[in-house]
Amino acid sequence: MHRTYKDLPSEPVAMQSTEDIITGTWRSIRPVVNEDKCIRCYMCWKYCPDMSIIVEKEGDYPTVDLDHCKGCGICSNECPRGAIKMQREVL
Amino acid sequence: MIEMMTANYAAAHGARLARADVVAVYPITPQTSISEKCAEMVEKGEMDAKFMMMESEHSAMSALIGASYVGARTFTATSSHGLALMHEMLMWAVGARRPIVMPVAARTIGGPWNIWGEHQDVITERDVGWLQIFCENNQEVLDTVLMAYRVAEDPEVMLPVMVIEDGFILSHTVDSVDVPDQEAVDRYLPPFRPEHPVSIERPMRHGGVVMPDWWTEFRHRIYLSQEVARTKLLEAEEAFQKEFGRSYGGMMELYRCDDADAVLVVAGSAAGTAKEVADKLREEGKKVGVAKLRVFRPFPAQEVHHLGKKVRTVGVFDRSYTFGDGGAMFNEVRSALHGQRNNMKNYIGGLGGRDVTVKNIEWIFEDLLKIASSGKVDRTVEWVALKDGSGRW
Amino acid sequence: MIDDPVNKHYKFTIPREDLMTPGHSACPGCGEPLALRYLLKALGPRTVINLPAGCAAIIPGVWPRYSLKVPLVDHAFECTAAVSSGIRAALDKKGVEDVTVVGWAGDGGTVDIGLQALSGAVDRSTDFLYVMYDNEAYMNTGIQCSGATPCGAWTTTTPGGKHIQKRHDKKPIMEMMIANGIVYGGTVSVAYPEDFIRTIRRAKSIKGPKFIHAYSPCPSGWRMDPRKAIEVSRLAVRTGMFPLYEFQEGRYRFTKEIKKRKPVEEYLRLQGRFKHLTPADVAEVQALVDREYEELEAKVEAGRR
C-alpha cells in the first residue's frame, strides 16, 4: 500500500490486487442458492462477471462471495432450474 | 572516422551507434531522410533494429511507447505537423516515463503550407515534459543523440528527449562529421535496463488510472526529474568529452560574453552565424557576445541569471513566435532575469526558411549596442528584416 | 430460454482458473469483464494486453490496484493497434515468440477513432490479436452513438424518439478487416463462453493479424435490467443480429449455427434503447437483419463448395 510520497513507484505501475475492494456494497439485491433445486451445472459460475460464484471443486454446490457480488442477477436469470432467487438487501 | 553527411544522416548514425532496438517512422519533410537512412542501414544489416513504417506520426510515437515498455531502446524522428500530430503521445510518453529519443528537424506549421525551417513546431511543445536540446551543427546532432539516450534512460530521469536540428539548414546540408567507433559508444552508453519492464513473471499495469489522491505526486515526480536532468546533462557531456574529446558548453554556451556590453541569446544553427559576427565585431572593438541556448528544457534559468549579472544588455533571438506576446525564448529569458535591471529586446526572425544572414545579426548587435549605450529600449519585440517599408532594415 | 444443453455431470465446460480478480470496477451485469475473463482463460498467462481509453481502462481498477494477472499497457484512445505493433516489435527483438499480444479496445476505439492504427497494423502483418469488445456506443463517456451503434438505437447523441436518427447499420468492421488482410477473423459473444474460448484459442494458434469482434452487453447504456445481459446476448445470436462465425483462408464458417432465427423484436423489446421503435421501424430492422444474415449465409455456403 502506498501511503507516503516516498513509497510511490518511479512510474505509475499498479500491481496490487483489487480483491480488497468490497464491491459487495454496491448491491441492493443478493442471490440466494436453493441447494434442493440446484443441479450443479455451474451456469451461474460461468456467467458471473464478478467471479463471485464460488465452486471449490467439481460436485460442490455454488456459494456466493458477498464481498464482491454486485447483485446484477445474471446468475438468477441464467439458472436453468430457478435455484437462485434475488433477495432484497435489508439494512 | 570523418565522413561528409547531412544532420539527418548524422542523427540516423546516432541511432545506429546507440543500438536502438525499435525504430518506428512516418515520413515528413525535412525529417524524412533520417527515417530513410535508418531503413537503409537496417536493410544492409548495419543496424540491428526492428524497423516499422507506421501510418502516422501519432502511431509512430504510440508504437515506441509500447516497445519501450517492453524494454527496447526506441527511436523515431519527425518535424512540423508530424510533431503536432504526436502531441497527445508526446505527453503520454512523459507520463509513462519512456526514455524515447527523437530528433526533430524543426519546421513551420501551416497553414498556409511552408516546408522550411523555423522553431515554431518544437517551441509549441515546450510544456509537454520532453527534454529539448538545440543543436548548432551536424556533429552536435550525432553526439547529442548519444548523450540524449544516456540522460533519458538514467533511472532518476526516465524522460524522453528531443534533439532539435534546424530544418534544411542542418537537415539537408552536408558537413564533415566525426563518426565515433561502436566500441567507444558502447563504453559510453550502457544497455537500457528499465526498472519496471513489461514482464510475464511480474505482471503489472503500466500507466493505468491515477485518481486525484496521487496524481499531483506523480506529476511532481516528473518535475523533479526535469530538475535532476540539469545535473545529468552536464555529467553526460563531461563523460562524452572524456570519451570522444568534444563538448558543447553545457546548458548554455557563453561565447565571448565575459566583458561584453551586449549579448545575444540564440538557439540552433543561427548561433554559429552569431558567433562569426561577434568575432568580426570584436575585431572592430565592439564588445559583443553570444549565449547559445543549447538546452531549452529544462530551462537554464540559473545560467541566464548569471549571464544577466555579467552583461547588462541582453537580446534574444526567437525563430518562432507566440502570438499575443513576444517569442517564447525571450519570455523565458526575461522571467529568469526578473528583478535584475537588464535592458532586454526580442528579435523574431528566420521564419519559414528565411535565412538569418550575417547582415541581420550585425544589425541586431548594432541595435543592442545602441541600447547598451543609451540605456533605452525602443521596442520590446522587433521582427527582423521585416518588409514593412519602414526602412529600418 | 437456455439453448445450451445442461451438463448433468458436474463438469466445468470452460477452464476453471481465472487470471482476473474480483473487486474490479465494472457496472453490475457488464459484459466486458466476462469477455476479459474468457479471453484470459483462453490465452493463459503468457499474454500482454494493451488498451486505450474506454470502459476497459476503468474496469481493471485504479492505481495502485489492478485486477488482471497479465501485464497491461495503457495508452491514448486512437492508437491501440500501433501500441500492439510496438510491443510485438520489442518482443521480437528480444526473441520472445510465445507471448500473445492483445489489443483490446471498445467499438468506438476501433471502428471510429482507432481505425487508422488498426488498418496500419494489419497492413504491416503485425502478429497480434485485436479484440473489439462491442457494447455498441461510447459507454465510458455516457452512451454516445458510435460507428457500431445499431440501426434505430437510442443514445444520448441520437435521442431517437419517434424518428430513428441512425438509419444505417453498424460499420461492417469484420468485412473491412477481411478486406484489409487479416489472417483470421471471428465473432464471439459472452453468452457462448465455450465458443468464445475456442475461437480465441484458434486465433492464438495462427501467426499474423487476427481480429475478434466480441459482443459485450451494457445494461446501463442499453437501458435494460442487468440480469438480462446474458439473455439479451443470446438473443442477439439467435435472432441473427449478431451471428457467430469465423473467417480463415478465404472461407466463412458459422461457429454457432442458428437453424431457425427468432424475430428481432424479441431482442429489441428487452432493451430500453429500442423502446421508441414503431412496428414499422421494427420491420425495417428485421429487413436489414434478414438481408445481412442472408448475405453471410451465402458467403458461408460459398465456402462449403
Side-chain angles (χ1 to χ4, degrees):
Chain A
M1 185 67 196
H2 306 282
R3 288 204 177 79
T4 70
Y5 188 93
K6 275 206 290 194
D7 298 332
L8 287 194
S10 56
E11 50 191 281
V13 287
M15 53 191 124
Q16 192 185 319
S17 166
T18 52
E19 275 169 296
D20 60 344
I21 299 174
I22 307 302
T23 49
T25 55
W26 302 12
R27 194 175 58 236
S28 58
I29 47 175
R30 71 162 65 183
V32 179
V33 183
N34 179 346
E35 292 186 359
D36 292 340
K37 287 187 178 174
C38 175
I39 55 165
R40 292 168 282 178
C41 63
Y42 306 139
M43 287 284 181
C44 50
W45 169 81
K46 198 162 72 176
Y47 288 121
C48 179
D50 293 293
M51 289 148 288
S52 297
I53 300 286
I54 311 294
V55 184
E56 290 295 340
K57 61 179 193 299
E58 257 171 39
D60 281 4
Y61 287 103
T63 55
V64 182
D65 167 9
L66 290 172
D67 280 352
H68 296 110
C69 167
K70 292 169 186 164
C72 69
I74 286 179
C75 53
S76 166
N77 200 67
E78 296 314 307
C79 178
R81 295 300 165 97
I84 303 179
K85 287 275 168 285
M86 297 307 288
Q87 221 172 62
R88 183 174 285 277
E89 291 285 348
V90 182
L91 291 176
Chain B
M1 196 171 74
I2 309 275
E3 286 180 48
M4 297 299 288
M5 65 175 75
T6 61
N8 277 357
Y9 277 23
H13 279 292
R16 170 181 64 80
L17 289 165
R19 297 185 185 278
D21 295 305
V22 175
V23 179
V25 298
Y26 188 80
I28 186 166
T29 305
Q31 161 283 125
T32 310
S33 58
I34 301 180
S35 309
E36 289 173 337
K37 187 67 186 168
C38 287
E40 184 194 316
M41 290 190 293
V42 170
E43 180 75 27
K44 283 184 180 164
E46 296 164 3
M47 185 173 178
D48 182 21
K50 288 275 162 195
F51 182 87
M52 280 196 290
M53 184 64 211
M54 304 304 292
E55 56 284 343
S56 74
E57 289 89 352
H58 190 283
S59 281
M61 186 49 59
S62 303
L64 293 193
I65 290 169
S68 177
Y69 266 130
V70 180
R73 183 169 284 162
T74 50
F75 183 80
T76 186
T78 194
S79 294
S80 181
H81 291 259
L83 188 66
L85 185 61
M86 270 183 194
H87 174 74
E88 181 188 28
M89 300 320 285
L90 294 178
M91 298 199 78
W92 199 282
V94 169
R97 312 304 299 262
R98 299 335 303 162
I100 298 161
V101 171
M102 173 170 72
V104 179
R107 175 191 143 178
T108 57
I109 296 187
W113 287 115
N114 175 303
I115 60 163
W116 291 275
E118 66 180 36
H119 292 160
Q120 188 65 29
D121 53 355
V122 283
I123 289 296
T124 303
E125 301 298 343
R126 70 188 186 275
D127 295 335
V128 299
W130 283 57
L131 274 62
Q132 293 186 316
I133 307 174
F134 282 87
C135 298
E136 184 186 328
N137 55 47
N138 298 3
Q139 182 74 57
E140 189 175 355
V141 170
L142 192 157
D143 294 351
T144 304
V145 167
L146 301 178
M147 286 185 250
Y149 277 115
R150 185 163 157 140
V151 175
E153 292 168 2
D154 188 295
E156 287 181 66
V157 178
M158 286 298 278
L159 287 173
V161 184
M162 269 180 223
V163 178
I164 301 156
E165 48 169 69
D166 289 349
F168 290 103
I169 298 167
L170 296 185
S171 71
H172 285 61
T173 306
V174 174
D175 198 354
S176 61
V177 174
D178 187 351
V179 181
D181 291 338
Q182 185 67 62
E183 297 75 47
V185 175
D186 289 346
R187 275 195 301 275
Y188 177 73
L189 187 61
F192 175 39
R193 300 238 187 279
E195 193 188 341
H196 300 287
V198 164
S199 156
I200 301 294
E201 288 70 35
R202 195 161 163 254
M204 58 185 106
R205 184 177 186 189
H206 304 262
V209 183
V210 174
M211 300 295 260
D213 54 354
W214 288 104
W215 172 264
T216 308
E217 285 67 24
F218 278 118
R219 259 17 199 180
H220 184 247
R221 275 276 164 93
I222 297 169
Y223 159 77
L224 287 183
S225 294
Q226 279 271 356
E227 291 303 305
V228 170
R230 299 171 191 282
T231 331
K232 299 289 180 183
L233 281 161
L234 296 179
E235 282 172 14
E237 201 176 340
E238 203 178 310
F240 194 88
Q241 158 84 37
K242 272 195 193 125
E243 187 67 54
F244 304 98
R246 290 185 294 274
S247 69
Y248 297 95
M251 304 282 283
M252 190 167 77
E253 181 197 351
L254 300 182
Y255 186 79
R256 306 191 85 159
C257 289
D258 279 346
D259 60 339
D261 291 327
V263 64
L264 183 65
V265 179
V266 53
S269 61
T273 315
K275 285 177 189 171
E276 215 179 288
V277 174
D279 287 343
K280 191 174 161 225
L281 294 180
R282 282 275 179 176
E283 275 173 31
E284 295 168 17
K286 292 166 181 166
K287 294 202 273 185
V288 294
V290 177
K292 182 177 110 175
L293 194 53
R294 183 163 177 267
V295 180
F296 187 58
R297 280 291 179 276
F299 188 75
Q302 209 59 39
E303 287 82 349
V304 171
H305 178 80
H306 289 309
L307 174 70
K309 293 242 171 198
K310 220 172 345 192
V311 186
R312 183 82 187 273
T313 302
V314 179
V316 181
F317 188 85
D318 269 286
R319 217 170 184 137
S320 64
Y321 34 81
T322 302
F323 292 122
D325 206 344
M329 285 184 181
F330 173 69
N331 278 309
E332 305 244 349
V333 169
R334 184 163 59 173
S335 91
L337 294 179
H338 175 73
Q340 290 174 219
R341 293 207 192 146
N342 292 95
N343 303 315
M344 296 202 61
K345 186 165 171 179
N346 187 195
Y347 299 90
I348 290 177
L351 303 181
R354 187 177 290 187
D355 288 334
V356 181
T357 62
V358 166
K359 235 176 129 189
N360 293 159
I361 304 276
E362 274 174 2
W363 194 98
I364 292 169
F365 274 131
E366 295 292 354
D367 192 42
L368 284 171
L369 287 172
K370 238 184 280 170
I371 292 168
S373 59
S374 69
K376 285 199 174 69
V377 182
D378 58 333
R379 60 181 81 181
T380 312
V381 182
E382 173 97 41
W383 284 59
V384 173
L386 190 69
K387 294 172 192 159
D388 61 350
S390 66
R392 281 175 74 78
W393 292 87
Chain C
M1 298 308 300
I2 307 289
D3 62 354
D4 281 341
V6 172
N7 194 314
K8 294 185 178 65
H9 304 288
Y10 313 146
K11 285 268 192 241
F12 293 98
T13 52
I14 57 174
R16 290 211 56 195
E17 198 197 348
D18 278 312
L19 292 174
M20 192 175 171
T21 55
H24 60 69
S25 337
C27 303
C30 174
E32 205 257 312
L34 266 181
L36 251 182
R37 191 180 162 219
Y38 301 151
L39 177 97
L40 292 173
K41 278 178 190 290
L43 294 179
R46 296 195 70 76
T47 303
V48 179
I49 300 183
N50 65 276
L51 54 81
C55 295
I58 310 300
I59 289 170
V62 300
W63 186 89
R65 299 233 182 37
Y66 179 43
S67 80
L68 306 187
K69 294 174 182 172
V70 297
L72 170 65
V73 169
D74 283 76
H75 48 77
F77 209 177
E78 61 274 59
C79 50
T80 310
V83 175
S84 298
S85 278
I87 292 173
R88 171 51 73 196
L91 290 172
D92 285 351
K93 183 76 195 342
K94 288 181 180 296
V96 180
E97 282 176 5
D98 62 340
V99 167
T100 309
V101 178
V102 180
W104 177 269
D107 48 295
T110 301
V111 305
D112 295 340
I113 198 169
L115 191 56
Q116 182 181 13
L118 175 55
S119 175
V122 172
D123 188 46
R124 274 191 302 278
S125 294
T126 297
D127 178 24
F128 79 133
L129 178 63
Y130 190 102
V131 184
M132 163 173 121
Y133 67 95
D134 184 5
N135 48 32
E136 305 195 320
Y138 291 91
M139 294 312 188
N140 195 39
T141 43
I143 325 163
Q144 292 79 34
C145 179
S146 83
T149 300
C151 173
W154 164 91
T155 68
T156 58
T157 53
T158 50
K162 280 181 186 162
H163 180 66
I164 302 175
Q165 294 271 338
K166 189 171 166 17
R167 281 194 174 267
H168 52 279
D169 201 22
K170 297 158 75 80
K171 284 192 196 178
I173 186 67
M174 184 62 85
E175 289 306 308
M176 289 157 75
M177 287 302 106
I178 288 169
N180 209 148
I182 51 170
V183 293
Y184 180 82
T187 62
V188 292
S189 164
V190 293
Y192 296 89
E194 294 83 1
D195 174 72
F196 193 118
I197 288 167
R198 191 208 64 86
T199 300
I200 298 289
R201 282 191 172 155
R202 188 161 178 78
K204 180 191 171 177
S205 71
I206 303 164
K207 207 169 152 63
K210 286 87 64 178
F211 181 81
I212 300 292
H213 184 172
Y215 184 92
S216 177
C218 173
S220 322
W222 296 359
R223 295 295 190 247
M224 66 181 187
D225 188 340
R227 75 173 70 192
K228 299 280 182 193
I230 298 298
E231 188 179 332
V232 161
S233 307
R234 195 176 288 116
L235 276 170
V237 174
R238 302 197 68 193
T239 54
M241 299 266 319
F242 192 85
L244 296 182
Y245 65 96
E246 64 182 2
F247 168 88
Q248 194 186 355
E249 288 168 2
R251 284 166 191 266
Y252 292 77
R253 196 178 73 83
F254 281 118
T255 53
K256 185 83 198 166
E257 293 254 25
I258 306 298
K259 293 273 180 320
K260 193 175 181 321
R261 279 183 289 131
K262 285 174 174 281
V264 293
E265 193 172 2
E266 281 191 31
Y267 172 76
L268 302 176
R269 71 171 183 224
L270 283 174
Q271 303 169 55
R273 62 174 171 157
F274 295 116
K275 75 168 182 221
H276 56 279
L277 298 189
T278 63
D281 294 336
V282 171
E284 196 180 318
V285 175
Q286 182 69 60
L288 189 72
V289 170
D290 287 347
R291 198 185 71 225
E292 286 179 357
Y293 197 85
E294 279 155 22
E295 279 171 15
L296 180 62
E297 274 181 329
K299 285 181 203 154
V300 171
E301 198 50 48
R304 283 200 183 109
R305 265 183 257 126

